[in-house]
Amino acid sequence: MKISYNWLKQFIKLPENADKTGELLTDLGLEIEGITNFQSIKGGLKGVVVGHVLSCDKHPNADKLQLTKVNIGNGEEVQIVCGAPNIGAGQKVPVATIGTVLYDETGESWEIKKGKIRGEVSYGMICSEKELGLGQSHEGIMVMDNELVPGTPVADIFEVENDEVFEIGLTPNRADAMSHWGVARDLKAGYQQKGQHLELITPSVSSFHVDSRSLKIQIKVEDSDLAPRYCGVTLSDVKVGESPKWLKNRLKAIGITPKNNIVDATNYVMHELGQPLHAFDAGKIAGNEINVKTLKAGTKFTTLDEVERELHEEDLMICDAEKPLCIAGVFGGISSGVTESTTQVFLESAYFNPVSVRKTAKRHALNTDASFRFERGIDPNSVEYALKRAALLIKEISGAEITSDIDDLYFKKIEDFQVFLTFEKVNKLIGENLQQETIKSILASLEIRVNNVTETGMGLTIPSYRVDVQRESDVIEEILRVYGYNNIKFGDKLSLSVANSSKFEDYKVQNLIATQLIGQGFYETMANSLTSAEYNKLSEEQKDEYQVEMLNPLSQDLAVLRQSMLFSGLETLSYNINRKRNNVKIFEFGKTYHSYVSGREENKHLSLFITGERTAESWNSISGNGNFFYLKGVINSIFEKLGINNLKAKATKSDIFSEGLQLSTRKAKLVEFGVVKKSILKRFDIEQEVIFADFNWQEVLEMTKKQKTSFSPIPKYPSMRRDFALLLDKTVTYEEIEQIARQTEKKLLTEVNLFDVYEGKNLPEGKKSYAVSFVFQDENKTLTDKQVDKMMKKLQHRFEKELKAELR
């Protein structure tokens, strides 16, 4: 939000410069993000002076150029070559002297230098209105008042305004500071705390009176919940034209382009007092009637930006007897605005329901200065005052007459908030014992009225413009920001207690696994928990009746909370693949949200995604796709890190995988992983294979807490390895081989590994060959070949008996 320093000084006589004022505003909670300089004419006409043309002769070497002698003050005469057709001796003209910097329409600068034009030296430039930024005329040089004294700075004549503009990072709760008047009000409180009592100058509306009652517009409000207060007045004999210079400068300083005197007046009052207003061409209001109501869904309405919009049944509209004119509190219509031919104006000032305006603005993707204020809540008690202020301003700058009484429909007065403030709570939250008189002084400076005082606290009435102050803690925050956070003293002693924290705390385990995954080349992501309801159609596991819907969604793509980690991850993969990053490994710790008959649930997950090559291309490494078995290895490394083993594997039943497994304990499923179906990938425009794993993180944490970590020394005695090449039926799995081996030799068998698989010619049909290694080790002595051979025979016997295996 932009605030003009010069404009602020109309309300309060500030004793310090803009930098010091900005520091105080930041201390008061209105953080200054920057201060920029503004000049009503860029460059400020510095170096441009009044010149008196003493002579004007034809250039000896050019037909269209003139050679002039110009007095630029202090008796100094210079020669200037000029090509303007209207140059003549005796004129008073603006002269840009050597070193002057001028600016073109695009803001590009150029410096006036001494130069030669067709052989004749020129010491400056005689300027046109356009070259100086004073107008659009460029047909000839600007001829000035003949009474002006040569050498007079042109900036003094045209009253170039220099201003400093604050860029305030306004927080959403500070609706009271959305205007120059509101910021000045805060400054008054801040300076009062510093011992400087400054007067707040209120714009006067005492001169408001009705000139005649010749134009009456009947106002009706059908929904007082959406429009609790609505005021209107008419003005006639309006002359629409350019605004006065002072008004244009005020608006341009805060980044608003002036349009005409009527629209500029409403914008001025809005940024002055924080009350949005709207001016209608009264001649276009059918039936001399204004009706504030909602229309049926699907009604077409074209706004000022020439976009035809479909109205929602909850959109509040300003209508006449026949048609809609304006989206209330958001944007005007194309057919009812003020134009050059307007002679009668209906001026609106209202208090609209903040929630209603916010929903309408979001629905139509409109963010205007008016909706910005209405959404946050304006002062309902300033509606009529702002209307009078705007009407008087329009009357002043357009020659209009006020031709109706103010019609003020205020159905149920919005009462001020009542809060009881306890001294104990003030001192506890602030951390310092403030004197009661200090508290009362600060509250008075904030216009918070003290109704009664007891030994324990005081009863307060909060002014209506402070819509964010409704609780005791809100009042304490107000006291503290005016008192000054920097004024809170810290003691020499700092007391704290150290909490007992388990090594199995969720965040600790997450950090442990995240560090491991990053070391394996994964990147951590954090996706939005809001997603599209359309994703429910991609999996039978996600149902519309299970989803948690947003009451006021930003868009249809962010309308529900996710039921699965898959789709937000696929959005991330698609984003990367579309930018030529085809090799992606990511993980995310997040939650899914479900609404069941028994109630709502939040479940914690860890999701892994792999697509493309598992490592970057390099001359010294062999890369390969991050396939199913690679992901399985990553998953096993996670469980090994957490000390979880002896998990049971079986095929997953999830319909998001074309093939996959789930690992579980006797009681709970810990992870599902596999290859994502191509039909789902197609929805995200992903053509390459994607491997996905979804951990039930809450169950993983519970299992981690139950695991006991034990340590043993590295054995002193060597291990011995033996290999089998087993001919097996294709239906036999490696898991069965390992299970039989470990059951057969529980004490000395330390490792079982499948190191080769062969299926092809020279093997009987329906058969395959597994090359399996077995490692034996005794911690107390060296094993002999005889002992190992005996164990291998046992293994062979069981494989032949139970798996129908043959040694190759």
Side-chain angles (χ1 to χ4, degrees), residues 776-788:
F776 302 92
Q777 189 171 35
D778 192 330
E779 296 181 358
N780 301 311
K781 62 183 179 179
T782 301
L783 290 172
T784 64
D785 287 338
K786 186 176 180 180
Q787 288 174 301
V788 175

Side-chain angles (χ1 to χ4, degrees), residues 292-311:
V292 184
K293 61 181 180 179
T294 56
L295 300 175
K296 66 178 182 180
T299 301
K300 305 289 186 183
F301 180 68
T302 304
T303 45
L304 274 172
D305 55 1
E306 300 182 359
V307 175
E308 186 179 72
R309 305 176 188 275
E310 277 195 14
L311 299 179

Side-chain angles (χ1 to χ4, degrees), residues 337-357:
V338 173
T339 64
E340 292 179 357
S341 60
T342 299
T343 58
Q344 295 177 318
V345 167
F346 173 74
L347 190 61
E348 163 197 282
S349 179
Y351 176 84
F352 296 118
N353 183 288
V355 175
S356 171
V357 173

Side-chain angles (χ1 to χ4, degrees), residues 543-568:
K543 299 183 182 297
D544 290 344
E545 59 265 30
Y546 294 161
Q547 70 189 11
V548 180
E549 299 181 356
M550 303 302 293
L551 293 177
N552 185 24
L554 294 172
S555 68
Q556 290 305 309
D557 291 336
L558 301 170
V560 299
L561 288 167
R562 64 183 175 187
Q563 297 182 59
S564 168
M565 301 286 285
L566 174 64
F567 305 115
S568 54

Side-chain angles (χ1 to χ4, degrees), residues 319-332:
C319 307
D320 61 16
E322 300 174 355
K323 61 187 180 298
L325 303 174
C326 174
I327 303 178
V330 180
F331 212 26

Side-chain angles (χ1 to χ4, degrees), residues 532-549:
S532 171
E534 290 296 311
Y535 293 154
N536 293 344
K537 301 174 183 177
L538 300 177
S539 170
E540 289 295 326
E541 296 172 18
Q542 293 197 181
K543 299 183 182 297
D544 290 344
E545 59 265 30
Y546 294 161
Q547 70 189 11
V548 180
E549 299 181 356

Side-chain angles (χ1 to χ4, degrees), residues 5 164 280 337 422 429 432 437 473 478 623 626 703 728 754 781 789:
Y5 181 63
E164 291 166 288
F280 297 88
T422 58
L429 288 185
E432 189 168 314
E437 291 306 314
S473 56
E478 291 298 294
S623 186
M703 282 294 298
L728 302 157
L754 176 66
K781 62 183 179 179
D789 290 343

Side-chain angles (χ1 to χ4, degrees), residues 65-215:
L65 298 179
Q66 304 292 324
L67 203 60
T68 65
K69 294 287 186 181
V70 183
N71 174 14
I72 58 172
N74 297 325
E76 184 180 355
E77 295 180 10
V78 295
Q79 177 174 285
I80 299 176
V81 177
C82 180
N86 63 332
I87 186 71
Q91 293 174 336
K92 298 290 177 64
V93 294
V95 177
T97 57
I98 301 298
T100 300
V101 177
L102 298 177
Y103 296 84
D104 61 20
E105 289 180 314
T106 64
E108 292 292 325
S109 63
W110 46 290
E111 184 180 346
I112 304 299
K113 299 179 180 179
K114 174 186 173 182
K116 276 190 176 183
I117 302 177
R118 294 292 185 93
E120 295 292 337
V121 179
S122 183
Y123 294 90
M125 185 175 83
I126 303 174
C127 303
S128 67
E129 287 183 2
K130 189 173 183 180
E131 288 163 339
L132 295 177
L134 295 170
Q136 293 301 313
S137 176
H138 194 52
E139 296 175 357
I141 54 98
M142 181 180 185
V143 180
M144 306 176 73
D145 188 343
N146 205 41
E147 300 298 321
L148 294 173
V149 178
T152 303
V154 172
D156 295 345
I157 300 168
F158 290 99
E159 298 176 352
V160 176
E161 180 165 353
N162 294 291
D163 197 356
E164 291 166 288
V165 180
F166 301 111
E167 183 68 44
I168 296 179
L170 191 69
T171 52
N173 64 307
R174 291 303 307 277
D176 63 297
M178 294 186 297
S179 65
H180 287 76
W181 170 247
V183 173
R185 199 163 42 201
D186 250 23
L187 284 170
K188 178 180 180 294
Y191 277 113
Q192 184 170 315
Q193 179 60 26
K194 294 171 69 174
Q196 296 175 271
H197 296 272
L198 306 179
E199 181 185 359
L200 204 56
I201 305 165
T202 309
S204 175
V205 295
S206 59
S207 62
F208 180 89
H209 67 276
V210 179
D211 297 300
S212 68
R213 292 176 174 81
S214 57
L215 180 59

